């Protein structure tokens, strides 16, 4: 279920176009968290990565539930968190340098 999805993949692009507002909101929020900690000495790409992984997680959630809609709600958060319990999520998360799990945590915030 979990595989590498390149940002040039047509499914990724369609997901990004559909949810661009939420992508931008998460990116801005994640950047504000980075700025608040004051530890970043140079521009961090973490906020961009979180936003990109949110698109990938949305694709995975839609595979499980074709009615899944990415929106800033508790129901959406619950569905994203359910991905953590699926077989191979831990392996995928490790392979992706823990960004999938960190993205869900950021979305929860």
């Amino acid at each position: 279920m979990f595989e590498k999805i390149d940002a040039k993949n047509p499914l990724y692009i369609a997901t990004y176009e559909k949810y661009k507002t939420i992508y931008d909101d998460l990116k801005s929020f994640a950047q504000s968290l980075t700025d608040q900690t004051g530890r970043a000495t140079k521009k961090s790409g973490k906020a961009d990565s979180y936003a990109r992984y949110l698109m990938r997680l949305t694709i995975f959630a839609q595979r499980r539930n074709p009615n899944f809609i990415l929106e800033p709600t508790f129901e959406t958060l619950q569905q994203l968190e359910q991905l953590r319990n699926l077989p191979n999520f831990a392996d995928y998360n490790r392979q992706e340098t823990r960004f999938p799990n960190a993205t869900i945590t950021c979305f929860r915030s």
Side-chain angles (χ1 to χ4, degrees), residues 22-34:
I22 294 174
Y23 174 100
D24 291 340
D25 288 348
L26 184 76
K27 182 178 166 182
S28 294
F29 178 72
Q31 186 60 51
S32 73
L33 292 177
T34 299

Side-chain angles (χ1 to χ4, degrees), residues 27-82:
K27 182 178 166 182
S28 294
F29 178 72
Q31 186 60 51
S32 73
L33 292 177
T34 299
D35 294 344
Q36 286 174 11
T37 63
R39 290 188 226 146
T41 57
K42 60 182 179 179
K43 177 150 172 42
S44 168
K46 188 181 344 183
D48 289 319
S49 293
Y50 284 178
R52 287 192 301 271
Y53 274 98
L54 183 61
M55 296 301 100
R56 293 175 178 111
L57 292 168
T58 297
I59 292 167
F60 300 143
Q62 287 174 333
R63 287 179 180 167
R64 287 192 74 226
N65 175 6
N67 297 319
F68 177 85
I69 298 172
L70 180 63
E71 45 192 11
T73 64
F74 184 68
E75 181 182 344
T76 296
L77 172 62
Q78 288 179 311
Q79 290 184 57
L80 291 173
E81 287 182 333
Q82 288 173 3

Side-chain angles (χ1 to χ4, degrees), residues 26 50 53-54 57 77 79-84 89 98-109:
L26 184 76
Y50 284 178
Y53 274 98
L54 183 61
L57 292 168
L77 172 62
Q79 290 184 57
L80 291 173
E81 287 182 333
Q82 288 173 3
L83 294 173
R84 292 175 167 159
F89 182 83
R98 313 251 187 268
F99 274 103
N101 194 52
T103 299
I104 294 170
T105 300
C106 184
F107 187 84
R108 182 185 321 125
S109 295

Side-chain angles (χ1 to χ4, degrees), residues 7-24 51 55-56 58-59 62 70:
K8 295 178 183 174
N9 180 308
L11 183 55
Y12 179 96
I13 293 168
T15 303
Y16 167 80
E17 289 174 0
K18 182 173 184 177
Y19 297 114
K20 184 179 181 340
T21 301
I22 294 174
Y23 174 100
D24 291 340
M55 296 301 100
R56 293 175 178 111
T58 297
I59 292 167
Q62 287 174 333
L70 180 63

